[in-house]
Amino acid sequence: RPFGYIGDYDPTLPKPWPEEEKDWWALHNTLVKRVRDSDALPPLEFDINQSRLPQLIFYGDSITEGWGGTTFGALPRKHRMWKSGEDKEIRKVFGENFGSDSAWGKRALKDPLVLGISGSRTYDFLWRIENGEFPTSKLLDHHEENNGGGDDNNDDEEEFQEKENDAPSPSKPRHFQLDKLERIYIVLMGTNNLGGGMLPAPTLEGMDATGRAILTLHTQNFPNQPAAVLFSELLPRKDDFRAVKMCPPRCKNMTTLEPYDSFMPAIEKVNRGLPEILEGWRRDFGNSRVVLLSRSEGGSKQQEKPHAKLGLVHRDDDGDDGEDKSSDSNDYTMTINCGREMFAIDDDEEFDTFMPDRLHPNAKGYELWANCLKKGLEVVMDHAISLTET
């Protein structure tokens, strides 16, 4: 597709693609139907002695759509540089790691949903989830309704409570309850903002809006249920020719019309800003678990007593304020440093074996990235399930 400058767009304002983008609209409608069909199905049945795992929701752009071996719902063109049959190999990788016959899928409440559209940016993603690409079916019976015998005097109180639960309340600390978790949202979004000439700061604003929109929609649809988000840093991209093509209007030096020669400085700047943004989500959505998937090497970063860190206070039954008594379930790893499994590969020749077009993974690349995603899932589930080799 030709370069389309979006640098002046509001990355936080929901906006679909133009009507003439028929393939975008066709795929969006397909994904809406996919969500409706999933919502209409009952949760899978299990042995009463077997624990159940949440449904996985994959949100994103072309790399997420690529799990199905497609771009805009069709086989990618030759410039993707996939070999013959690559699409089938990628679908096999997905099935083995996350599908119905995988270790996760055999215990999942429902089959996973892959909801990606090639070229998606933060603003059209926001529109997508507000217009049908967000599942709303309840998967578990948590017995959260009142057990009373229909006392009419409680109607006003219940109505007030419903309104109060419509949006998250930062002033009310809530603790993550793993046993009530129904869905995990796996999100990769933002690289196409940069690819359209948007600067890192507004790109970060858009990425912040995407996570908050997901958590807000979850809270509105499931007021008393926890949420979990695996949010990915921007993957590296070495398609430098696209950075050059942005100039003009997006140039490194407008006077000399010197173009940018790489996306990587902008990607690194965005990724450096993500930990603070995700910390804001944890603060404002207490009944959530938010994990950042990072390209960094080394050990992962542990979350320690987050409510104490955020200045939230536990109130004892007698009404006195006391020390934080949050459950151990609130102590978890905030950042998974996946390194190589998120394509932190310096050698260009080796990098190309996983991303032959220097932007999109092939089957070998998806296999690599799947290992990172599974590490994140293990953390969300308090390592109650082992998905990766130790």
Side-chain angles (χ1 to χ4, degrees):
R1 297 176 105 77
F3 172 68
Y5 180 69
I6 62 162
D8 297 328
Y9 282 38
D10 183 343
T12 69
L13 181 65
K15 179 180 179 180
W17 280 30
E19 292 182 2
E20 57 267 24
E21 298 284 359
K22 303 295 185 184
D23 47 4
W24 186 93
W25 282 96
L27 183 51
H28 165 66
N29 291 334
T30 297
L31 298 185
V32 169
K33 184 179 185 301
R34 188 176 297 173
V35 171
R36 288 175 180 170
D37 290 347
S38 175
D39 277 344
L41 293 173
L44 300 176
E45 295 183 0
F46 293 87
D47 185 290
I48 193 171
N49 296 314
Q50 187 178 39
S51 60
R52 294 169 290 184
L53 297 173
Q55 182 185 28
L56 302 180
I57 312 297
F58 292 80
Y59 278 131
D61 47 37
S62 58
I63 297 177
T64 298
E65 184 188 347
W67 280 118
T70 66
T71 180
F72 291 107
L75 284 176
R77 297 180 180 178
K78 292 182 179 180
H79 60 72
R80 183 70 63 93
M81 300 181 69
W82 284 354
K83 67 179 185 293
S84 176
E86 195 89 48
D87 58 312
K88 295 178 182 178
E89 290 188 26
I90 294 172
R91 287 193 290 271
K92 182 180 178 182
V93 169
F94 183 84
E96 291 174 346
N97 286 281
F98 309 111
S100 57
D101 292 329
S102 66
W104 186 280
K106 289 177 180 178
R107 293 166 55 187
L109 289 164
K110 282 190 177 182
D111 289 341
L113 282 172
V114 177
L115 305 173
I117 297 183
S118 296
S120 197
R121 295 128 178 180
T122 57
Y123 56 85
D124 70 83
F125 174 75
L126 293 170
W127 187 91
R128 287 167 48 197
I129 61 174
E130 291 180 359
N131 289 271
E133 290 188 41
F134 192 87
T136 58
S137 61
K138 190 173 182 179
L139 305 184
L140 291 173
D141 181 8
H142 301 299
H143 303 289
E144 292 170 342
E145 289 75 21
N146 290 334
N147 294 324
D151 186 351
D152 292 338
N153 292 330
N154 290 331
D155 288 349
D156 291 340
E157 181 179 348
E158 290 173 359
E159 182 179 358
F160 172 79
Q161 188 66 35
E162 289 174 3
K163 291 180 179 178
E164 185 181 43
N165 286 331
D166 279 346
S169 175
S171 63
K172 292 175 59 180
R174 293 180 295 171
H175 305 316
F176 182 80
Q177 297 169 293
L178 181 60
D179 61 325
K180 294 185 177 182
L181 184 64
E182 296 188 358
R183 290 184 175 91
I184 300 175
Y185 306 100
I186 301 171
V187 186
L188 176 65
M189 179 58 58
T191 194
N192 290 313
N193 287 51
L194 296 178
M198 190 172 287
L199 293 173
T203 296
L204 269 170
E205 292 175 7
M207 295 170 74
D208 186 19
T210 62
R212 289 183 174 277
I214 290 169
L215 290 166
T216 297
L217 282 170
H218 182 95
T219 302
Q220 291 172 344
N221 284 282
F222 315 107
N224 300 307
Q225 294 176 21
V229 176
L230 288 183
F231 199 87
S232 178
E233 284 186 350
L234 297 186
L235 302 182
R237 54 186 298 177
K238 299 185 180 183
D239 55 332
D240 299 340
F241 72 95
R242 291 190 175 92
V244 173
K245 285 173 62 177
M246 291 193 303
C247 180
R250 179 61 71 204
C251 303
K252 190 174 184 179
N253 187 316
M254 283 300 298
T255 302
T256 62
L257 294 184
E258 177 188 0
Y260 288 96
D261 55 12
S262 172
F263 286 107
M264 288 308 298
I267 287 174
E268 297 292 353
K269 189 171 184 178
V270 168
N271 289 343
R272 286 195 299 270
L274 285 175
E276 182 179 355
I277 284 175
L278 269 62
E279 185 63 23
W281 302 352
R282 299 183 189 103
R283 179 187 66 242
D284 295 342
F285 299 87
N287 194 17
S288 68
R289 180 160 290 183
V290 179
V291 176
L292 177 65
L293 303 177
S294 172
R295 292 173 47 242
S296 300
E297 302 281 357
S300 297
K301 183 179 179 182
Q302 183 77 16
Q303 168 87 326
E304 297 179 353
K305 296 188 181 298
H307 289 152
K309 177 180 178 181
L310 298 175
L312 301 178
V313 180
H314 172 82
R315 185 171 294 277
D316 296 324
D317 292 338
D318 59 4
D320 294 330
D321 292 338
E323 296 180 357
D324 176 72
K325 299 179 181 180
S326 59
S327 165
D328 288 341
S329 67
N330 290 290
D331 298 339
Y332 66 96
T333 303
M334 293 187 296
T335 302
I336 307 294
N337 292 327
C338 291
R340 177 183 174 84
E341 292 172 341
M342 276 187 68
F343 310 101
I345 301 170
D346 293 331
D347 183 81
D348 287 348
E349 186 173 339
E350 184 183 7
F351 183 87
D352 291 349
T353 64
F354 298 102
M355 285 189 173
D357 73 343
R358 302 198 154 194
L359 178 59
H360 301 94
N362 55 14
K364 191 175 179 181
Y366 276 108
E367 184 69 66
L368 198 67
W369 189 36
N371 291 327
C372 176
L373 297 180
K374 290 190 292 186
K375 289 178 180 178
L377 292 175
E378 289 175 340
V379 166
V380 170
M381 301 305 297
D382 281 340
H383 296 279
I385 181 173
S386 179
L387 301 171
T388 57
E389 295 181 4
T390 56

